[in-house]
């Protein structure tokens, strides 16, 4: 009983110290982080926008690749179920992959020619 | 040496290709989280494909630097290396198909990231230049 009581007392003390430290340092950390964000907002780099634009373009390319593959695979699945076959999905997957590569190629070509 | 310096010491084109592969993998992963039925199997298949594409790009890079020393036999050596790489990928795909552990088409989709990253390399090059604060 006494042992358990001592255990709870020790546990409470440790928890109190941890909470206190978190509260103190957490607040300090919050203030520092907020100041840093404010500072970075003041000296905003001019390239930030182009970095985001490039990231969006890269995601667009990935989506351009994915969409034809998904569409053609779904069409293949539908055809396989409808006709009772088992090869349309595989064939149309590869057709989708070729279409995706073609689409990404055209997009990149357009983007690069616009930049030049 | 911090991580930026470590990345800079890495071959730039290879790094850009790997960044593109990982980015493509992330987009496919997000799509898989929404649409895939067996998410774990899908993720494993996709990242195995991405890993295969990364290994292939390293193999391609090493073989190109090796082939440059052989002027006369360069073309035939390159063809041989190309067939070795594709044979390795086909073997992996066949093993996956016959064991049925992963989705072979998703592995192939991950491997297709090699093509996509080759196409989007000008964009990843620009992105790396911005991130490393280099003009060219």
């Amino acid at each position: 009983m006494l042992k358990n009581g001592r255990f709870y007392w020790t546990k409470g003390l440790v928890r109190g110290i941890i909470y206190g430290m978190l509260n103190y340092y957490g607040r300090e950390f919050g203030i520092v982080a907020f100041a840093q964000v404010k500072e970075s907002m003041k000296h905003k780099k001019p390239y930030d926008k182009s970095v985001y634009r490039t990231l969006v373009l890269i995601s667009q390319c990935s989506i351009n690749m994915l969409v034809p593959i998904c569409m053609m695979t779904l069409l293949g699945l539908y055809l396989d179920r409808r006709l009772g076959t088992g090869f349309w999905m595989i064939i149309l997957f590869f057709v989708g992959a070729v279409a995706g590569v073609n689409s990404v190629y055209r997009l990149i070509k357009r983007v690069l020619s616009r930049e030049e | 040496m911090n991580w930026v310096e470590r990345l800079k010491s890495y071959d730039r084109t290879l790094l850009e290709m790997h960044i593109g592969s990982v980015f493509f993998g992330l987009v496919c992963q997000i799509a898989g989280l929404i649409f895939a039925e067996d998410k774990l199997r899908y993720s494993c298949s996709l990242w195995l494909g991405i890993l295969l594409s990364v290994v292939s790009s390293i193999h391609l890079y090493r073989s190109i630097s090796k082939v440059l020393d052989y002027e006369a036999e360069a073309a035939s050596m390159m063809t041989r290396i190309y067939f070795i790489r594709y044979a390795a990928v086909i073997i992996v795909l066949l093993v996956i198909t016959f064991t049925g552990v992963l989705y072979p088409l998703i592995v192939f989709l991950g491997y297709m990231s090699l093509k996509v990253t080759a196409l989007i390399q000008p964009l990843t090059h620009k992105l790396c230049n911005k991130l490393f604060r280099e003009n060219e």
Side-chain angles (χ1 to χ4, degrees):
Chain A
M1 193 72 184
L2 184 69
K3 204 176 171 183
N4 280 345
R6 197 183 293 156
F7 176 69
Y8 282 124
W9 182 82
T10 322
K11 202 174 157 188
L13 182 69
V14 170
R15 195 181 287 169
I17 290 168
I18 291 170
Y19 282 170
M21 280 169 74
L22 274 177
N23 194 18
Y24 181 73
Y25 288 110
R27 201 188 301 149
E28 285 289 301
F29 177 75
I31 291 165
V32 171
F34 182 70
Q36 277 182 355
V37 169
K38 220 173 158 184
E39 194 64 22
S40 69
M41 294 281 275
K42 254 190 233 169
H43 306 286
K44 207 175 174 185
K45 306 275 186 311
Y47 63 72
D48 282 355
K49 214 172 178 180
S50 67
V51 168
Y52 294 132
R53 203 181 296 147
T54 315
L55 278 173
V56 167
L57 265 172
I58 294 172
S59 345
Q60 197 183 338
C61 289
S62 308
I63 291 165
N64 271 17
M65 181 75 199
L66 263 184
V67 169
I69 293 177
C70 290
M71 298 290 277
M72 294 307 262
T73 310
L74 284 176
L75 181 68
L77 263 175
Y78 172 76
L79 283 176
D80 278 339
R81 279 183 193 161
R82 188 96 180 160
L83 306 171
T85 49
F87 57 86
W88 282 112
M89 195 186 88
I90 298 166
I91 292 172
L92 290 181
F93 174 87
F94 287 107
V95 172
V98 172
V101 169
N102 187 30
S103 160
V104 173
Y105 171 72
R106 282 174 181 222
L107 177 72
I108 292 293
K109 206 173 161 187
R110 203 167 59 228
V111 168
L112 292 179
S113 65
R114 200 189 299 156
E115 279 181 5
E116 278 168 11
Chain B
M1 196 193 275
N2 64 6
W3 68 273
V4 178
E5 293 302 317
R6 204 173 290 167
L7 281 177
K8 276 183 179 178
S9 65
Y10 202 56
D11 183 83
R12 181 56 71 84
T13 314
L14 205 56
L15 172 72
E16 286 158 8
M17 284 191 78
H18 293 172
I19 287 174
S21 285
V22 171
F23 209 90
F24 179 73
L26 286 175
V27 174
C28 292
Q29 183 66 65
I30 291 166
L33 286 177
I34 299 166
F35 299 113
E37 279 178 14
D38 190 346
K39 290 180 176 55
L40 181 69
R41 207 170 156 205
Y42 174 89
S43 306
C44 291
S45 310
L46 178 71
W47 290 103
L48 177 69
I50 300 285
L51 184 74
L52 269 178
S53 84
V54 167
V55 170
S56 291
S57 64
I58 292 171
H59 179 250
L60 188 65
Y61 169 72
R62 287 194 173 178
S63 50
I64 286 172
S65 53
K66 202 194 285 176
V67 156
L68 285 174
D69 300 332
Y70 301 90
E71 285 176 6
E73 302 158 3
S76 63
M77 265 185 89
M78 213 49 215
T79 315
R80 202 165 60 231
I81 287 165
Y82 174 86
F83 277 114
I84 289 170
R85 197 170 53 250
Y86 274 88
V89 172
I90 286 167
I91 287 167
V92 170
L93 283 175
L94 283 176
V95 168
I96 288 165
T97 309
F98 287 117
T99 53
V101 188
L102 301 170
Y103 297 122
L105 288 182
I106 303 299
V107 175
F108 186 76
L109 175 71
Y111 188 73
M112 283 297 286
S113 72
L114 192 66
K115 304 287 170 204
V116 179
T117 48
L119 287 171
I120 64 171
Q121 195 269 337
L123 297 178
T124 43
H125 176 71
K126 206 191 288 174
L127 186 73
C128 281
N129 279 349
K130 305 277 186 212
L131 291 176
F132 295 140
R133 292 155 200 264
E134 287 171 357
N135 289 327
E136 207 36 66

